[in-house]
Amino acid sequence: MTTAAHKPLHDPERASSWMPPLDISLACAREELAKYATANIYDDQEMLAAAVSHHLRLRELVAVLDKEAERAEVSGA
């Protein structure tokens, strides 16, 4: 259910099927962690920005890891 007051953070219908290679996704995740490491926990805007950004990066990283696992299964590794 989506209303003007609600829009999901992740919309599978609009999600891209492109994924970066694992090494790039992992480097981006590390940069993401460093970027928000000093965020002020008492600043609602900073925490919201960090949470959304981390959610998106984590979703990407999990998708890349799932793709790598599928590739390993197919190759018999």
Side-chain angles (χ1 to χ4, degrees), residues 8-27:
L9 185 59
H10 176 67
D11 182 356
E13 292 179 10
R14 296 187 61 201
S16 171
S17 61
W18 181 84
M19 286 177 268
L22 179 57
D23 60 330
I24 292 174
S25 185
L26 190 55

Side-chain angles (χ1 to χ4, degrees), residues 6-71:
H6 176 263
K7 183 171 181 175
L9 185 59
H10 176 67
D11 182 356
E13 292 179 10
R14 296 187 61 201
S16 171
S17 61
W18 181 84
M19 286 177 268
L22 179 57
D23 60 330
I24 292 174
S25 185
L26 190 55
C28 289
R30 286 187 173 118
E31 287 176 17
E32 182 82 18
L33 289 172
K35 178 179 179 180
Y36 291 103
T38 59
N40 180 356
I41 196 165
Y42 299 109
D43 184 324
D44 293 344
Q45 288 300 107
E46 274 190 280
M47 289 297 99
L48 181 59
V52 170
S53 194
H54 286 343
H55 176 86
L56 296 173
R57 187 63 65 194
L58 181 59
R59 182 174 290 285
E60 175 188 278
L61 183 58
V62 168
V64 169
L65 289 171
D66 286 346
K67 182 179 174 183
E68 289 294 317
E70 287 174 13
R71 188 175 294 143

